Amino acid sequence: MDYVPRKEWGALEEKPLRPFRRAVKGVVVHHTTGPAVDPWKRVRGHDRYHVLTKGWDSIAYNWLVSGVTGEIFEGRGWNKGAATRGHNYNTVAVALIGDSAEHLTHTGKEAILAVVGATREQHGNDLWVKCHQDFSNTTCPGDILQGWVDKGMRMDDAPSTNTVPDWDGILRYVLDMGAKVTPIARGSSGLWVALAQKRLNDRGADLKVDGIYGRKSARACRRFQSQFAMRVNGIVDANTWKVLWTI
């Protein structure tokens, strides 16, 4: 499956995206309706409609998936969305591109499950998964997709051949996030701190991966920085983050 960042598909950057300020509790499944072909064009079209016509900060969905190509498009990503009225403050929205009555494929299901898995990694394994219909008087995401979610999102149909992870896309995502999550310094905490600790361990450190950037993490960072032509200050800045993942 291919991960497609906002910059790559051409998202409008009219306004800054707002981070979640409350704990995320679940994932809400949507569909966009309309055609499923040419997903890049469809995603750009929804973005322009939501931003230029609706006046919203960005495309409403956090993530969009194509049942045709298996691509996963970053909408608002790990920022607050706008697709589930009254519940955007604590839910992540994933939308199948097209009408689920016509375009719910095995590949589309795999992509939805990939987003759900990534969201649980980001916000906790106890997150629930529901559909737009559960929160509003709407037909979204259609009876077929709703039924699949209600039955536990089982994968009983024929397997897809599109099962190889897009490692290049995952690396691009990690590197892109570096500009957003750095600097990581004493007192920083969270998932991205834990990821930095794991990466420092890969490079020879022996840290407890607890997501808390303390004295030992800073010391390991300084030791790593000293091996390269960079400022040795114990702070994971954007350059240190990039070197951690690419050299």
Side-chain angles (χ1 to χ4, degrees), residues 26-223:
V27 178
V28 182
V29 178
H30 299 250
H31 70 168
T32 65
T33 71
V37 296
D38 198 351
W40 288 61
K41 180 179 180 180
R42 295 289 296 157
V43 172
R44 285 192 291 264
H46 284 294
D47 184 45
R48 279 150 181 73
Y49 176 69
H50 290 171
V51 174
L52 302 179
T53 302
K54 291 285 191 178
W56 296 345
D57 294 348
S58 182
I59 192 169
Y61 311 107
N62 297 86
W63 304 94
L64 300 95
V65 304
S66 170
V68 177
T69 66
E71 291 166 307
I72 299 173
F73 295 84
E74 180 189 18
R76 299 195 183 202
W78 303 126
N79 296 288
K80 182 181 176 183
T84 313
R85 187 173 184 179
H87 300 274
N88 293 307
Y89 65 94
N90 68 350
T91 63
V92 168
V94 54
L96 176 73
I97 299 169
D99 189 328
S100 69
E102 301 175 11
H103 307 298
L104 182 58
T105 63
H106 190 99
T107 298
K109 292 177 181 179
E110 284 182 332
I112 292 171
L113 286 172
V115 172
V116 171
T119 305
R120 284 176 169 160
E121 283 190 21
Q122 180 83 1
H123 294 288
N125 289 326
D126 58 344
L127 297 186
W128 45 256
V129 181
K130 299 182 181 180
C131 291
H132 194 190
Q133 288 183 23
D134 297 321
F135 300 96
S136 180
N137 183 22
T138 177
T139 60
C140 177
D143 292 340
I144 295 177
L145 184 48
Q146 176 85 41
W148 178 66
V149 172
D150 288 346
K151 292 177 182 177
M153 299 188 293
R154 296 177 57 181
M155 299 295 290
D156 294 334
D157 47 341
S160 167
T161 58
N162 189 24
T163 58
V164 179
D166 176 27
W167 297 116
D168 289 339
I170 292 170
L171 178 59
R172 286 199 306 273
Y173 173 69
V174 171
L175 292 175
D176 286 346
M177 286 302 298
K180 302 177 183 179
V181 303
T182 57
I184 296 173
R186 292 279 295 272
S188 299
S189 62
L191 174 70
W192 293 98
V193 173
L195 194 58
Q197 290 172 324
K198 289 179 182 178
R199 195 60 176 167
L200 286 167
N201 283 348
D202 292 340
R203 298 307 185 93
D206 186 22
L207 297 171
K208 178 182 179 182
V209 180
D210 56 5
I212 301 173
Y213 198 87
R215 176 175 51 84
K216 292 182 179 179
S217 295
R219 185 166 57 213
C221 179
R222 286 195 295 272
R223 189 178 299 116

